[in-house]
Amino acid sequence: MPAADALVLFGVTGDLARKMILPALYRLTERGELSVPVIGVARTDWDSDALRKHVGESVRAALPDVDDVVLERLQRAVHVVAGDYGDPTTFDRLATTLREQAGAEAFVVHYLAVPPGLFGTVADALAAVGLNAHARLVVEKPFGHDLASARALNAQLRRNFDDDRLFRVDHYLGQEPVEDLLVLRFANTVIEPLWNRTWIDHIDITMAEDFDVADRGSFYDAVGTVRDVVQNHLLQVLAYLTMEAPQSDSAEDQRDAKHRLLQAVRAVDPAEVVRGQYTGYRDVPGVAADSTTETYVALTLHIDDDRFTGVPVHIRAGKALPETVLDLVVVLRSPPRPLFHGAVQDPPPNRIRLRLQPDAGVTFYLLAKQPGSGDIATELPVSVDFREVLGPVHAAYERIFADALTGNPAHFARMDTLEEAWRVVEPILDPGTAPLPYAPGTWGPT
Ligand code: BG6
């Protein structure tokens, strides 16, 4: 995989760039992992100095510890190409800027942080000026609106980019704690032998966010919770949590194992879904007054493979909930005989809580005897916080960009896996019925 000689960032003036991408590029510059020219493309009248100022402001707003020398290094690397994505001359000017800044032979990474409706337009326009030949294309999510549109988008992009030159972003794949699931499972004999239908009763996955859709009304209303975070982020997390051990730690073996797992996940039964919408959502600018888009979903998944048949996986996700948390609770089966009893009720089953956000770590809930009596005490949490013990991790977008630049596909979604994920959620997309209302700050509908 060729490494990048230049990075082209479409959508450089957008929200994602301001909040996530530009701060990530600063960190990579700081670590010496980004030293190539960065060409920002946007529909704007900015010149390169205006973009450099924007880079400075975005980085300082996002990070507490900015070093002026590092920031200046990044700013000096930045150049702008302003113009409409539908205008071929924008791409002529991009080609000229690339030649000037990186040379005619440069291998270019094009990163598309633009609305998905523009992915195909930009890819075709790049090809029209030959900027696909020696290049990699990285596209943000969402990849498609359903299975058919994802396939159509892929076919359009594949006209100009080979599959190994096409990186599909799911930033959860760049999150250290998500990848850590594999290490926790397959490097620990205290966990892996339990990880199957013999010992696990069910699994509860919660992705809660304590904020609402804010200024993303028009994006969110066309999408909803299932498309926004279940089809992509949560099914990828599920795959890491439940897949078989990959043959090796290579990117392709890991992706093969994830694909096999998702193949085994049954399409969701609409009868096993609860959809919610927080009150006040319809007043958000960009949201239809009669919107039936869900801002909350709870559903049950079934994995039809040897390891997990009969173990339901409950997923719930939503906006405007009481806290921001992503955790996976694995509930084990109770011992075969109730030999001990609690003071009040039968002892609860053991649980293992894998916390991915905000404080990654793991908690084992163990039972122990209450001193002085024969009763089992309530659950005792035995917990480790990874950040406290192991130190901070790199942000997801730092890892995504580092990999996009070097050409490592490990943290990007493969098309076959993406197709399986669309198949799984397809029966519950756009049911057209009104979701149940819930008050912001509560745990969704009953
Ligand atoms: C994005 C969704 O993909 O992921 C957002 O569009 C969501 O709605 C976000 O809030 C969550 O990402 P993170 O990294 O903040 O957990």
Side-chain angles (χ1 to χ4, degrees):
M1 290 287 179
D5 300 309
L7 171 65
V8 177
L9 185 54
F10 287 87
V12 71
T13 57
D15 256 14
L16 187 67
R18 182 168 54 83
K19 291 184 188 153
M20 299 289 177
I21 297 177
L22 296 173
L25 296 185
Y26 170 87
R27 289 288 183 223
L28 295 188
T29 307
E30 183 178 51
R31 295 203 290 272
E33 293 175 32
L34 175 68
S35 50
V36 299
V38 179
I39 320 293
V41 188
R43 285 178 288 200
T44 173
D45 52 8
W46 289 0
D47 61 12
S48 291
D49 282 339
L51 179 58
R52 289 180 185 125
K53 186 159 169 279
H54 177 71
V55 169
E57 287 165 359
S58 306
V59 170
R60 285 188 196 284
L63 304 175
D65 55 341
V66 177
D67 177 333
D68 289 346
V69 177
V70 176
L71 181 57
E72 273 168 35
R73 210 183 314 146
L74 172 61
Q75 286 171 311
R76 272 200 308 276
V78 167
H79 306 269
V80 81
V81 171
D84 199 278
Y85 302 134
D87 176 0
T89 66
T90 305
F91 294 83
D92 290 332
R93 279 180 285 117
L94 174 61
T96 307
T97 307
L98 275 168
R99 255 195 317 276
E100 287 166 5
Q101 299 302 327
E105 298 302 311
F107 186 84
V108 183
V109 169
H110 302 290
Y111 194 105
L112 272 51
V114 296
L118 292 170
F119 292 164
T121 311
V122 173
D124 287 345
L126 286 170
V129 293
L131 285 179
N132 62 326
H134 207 43
R136 186 154 47 241
L137 185 72
V138 188
V139 294
E140 264 294 334
K141 71 171 265 272
F143 198 92
H145 199 66
D146 53 20
L147 181 57
S149 58
R151 283 181 172 151
L153 172 62
N154 196 54
Q156 184 177 15
L157 300 181
R158 285 293 312 280
R159 284 207 301 257
N160 301 311
F161 291 88
D162 286 344
D163 195 57
D164 63 352
R165 295 280 173 94
L166 188 51
F167 282 19
R168 304 166 194 86
V169 174
D170 180 329
H171 77 280
Y172 268 46
L173 296 176
Q175 289 193 358
E176 289 270 7
V178 172
E179 211 181 355
D180 261 2
L181 290 172
L182 291 190
V183 180
L184 273 176
R185 289 187 52 204
F186 297 118
N188 289 299
T189 352
V190 73
I191 291 182
E192 181 50 20
L194 299 175
W195 227 247
N196 56 57
R197 61 195 303 274
T198 308
W199 300 109
I200 297 181
D201 186 75
H202 65 277
I203 299 174
D204 294 334
I205 298 180
T206 299
M207 177 184 181
E209 295 179 314
D210 66 1
F211 47 88
D212 56 24
V213 300
D215 56 359
R216 298 169 78 215
S218 57
F219 162 78
Y220 200 88
D221 207 37
V223 173
T225 312
V226 172
R227 287 190 177 91
D228 190 40
V229 300
V230 177
Q231 184 271 341
N232 35 66
H233 305 331
L234 293 180
L235 288 182
Q236 292 284 352
V237 167
L238 174 80
Y240 279 123
L241 183 69
T242 56
M243 72 193 208
E244 293 296 333
Q247 196 57 34
S248 76
D249 68 353
S250 77
E252 280 322 300
D253 282 346
Q254 283 192 15
R255 293 161 123 202
D256 285 346
K258 273 195 295 178
H259 177 231
R260 268 197 300 278
L261 182 282
L262 285 173
Q263 280 183 305
V265 178
R266 215 181 290 165
V268 184
D269 178 351
E272 291 189 298
V273 176
V274 173
R275 298 166 70 248
Q277 186 188 76
Y278 66 80
T279 46
Y281 170 73
R282 291 178 180 184
D283 302 330
V284 174
V287 172
D290 57 352
S291 170
T292 58
T293 299
E294 78 281 356
T295 61
Y296 171 98
V297 70
L299 54 88
T300 301
L301 292 175
H302 303 276
I303 304 172
D304 294 325
D305 68 3
D306 288 356
R307 189 187 274 262
F308 278 113
T309 292
V311 179
V313 180
H314 308 124
I315 289 186
R316 62 177 164 169
K319 302 269 185 208
L321 300 184
E323 53 183 308
T324 297
V325 69
L326 172 55
D327 72 13
L328 324 174
V329 179
V330 174
V331 181
L332 300 179
R333 293 193 189 283
S334 295
R337 293 189 296 140
L339 195 54
F340 307 105
H341 297 279
V344 195
Q345 56 182 25
D346 284 345
N350 284 148
R351 292 182 297 147
I352 304 173
R353 167 175 250 126
L354 305 163
R355 288 173 282 122
L356 307 190
Q357 282 186 32
D359 51 342
V362 57
T363 306
F364 293 87
Y365 293 90
L366 302 181
L367 300 174
K369 194 173 82 63
Q370 185 68 47
S373 85
D375 293 333
I376 288 188
T378 46
E379 296 171 300
L380 299 179
V382 178
S383 196
V384 59
D385 182 308
F386 293 153
R387 188 190 164 96
E388 241 169 56
V389 181
L390 302 171
V393 296
H394 293 165
Y397 272 96
E398 295 171 37
R399 304 179 80 217
I400 296 288
F401 270 86
D403 289 348
L405 290 167
T406 56
N408 176 5
H411 303 127
F412 295 89
R414 207 167 65 181
M415 189 58 198
D416 55 0
T417 306
L418 243 151
E419 289 186 36
E420 291 300 334
W422 277 122
R423 175 190 59 74
V424 169
V425 299
E426 193 94 335
I428 59 166
L429 298 175
D430 311 316
T433 50
L436 301 170
Y438 64 97
T442 66
W443 280 106
T446 307

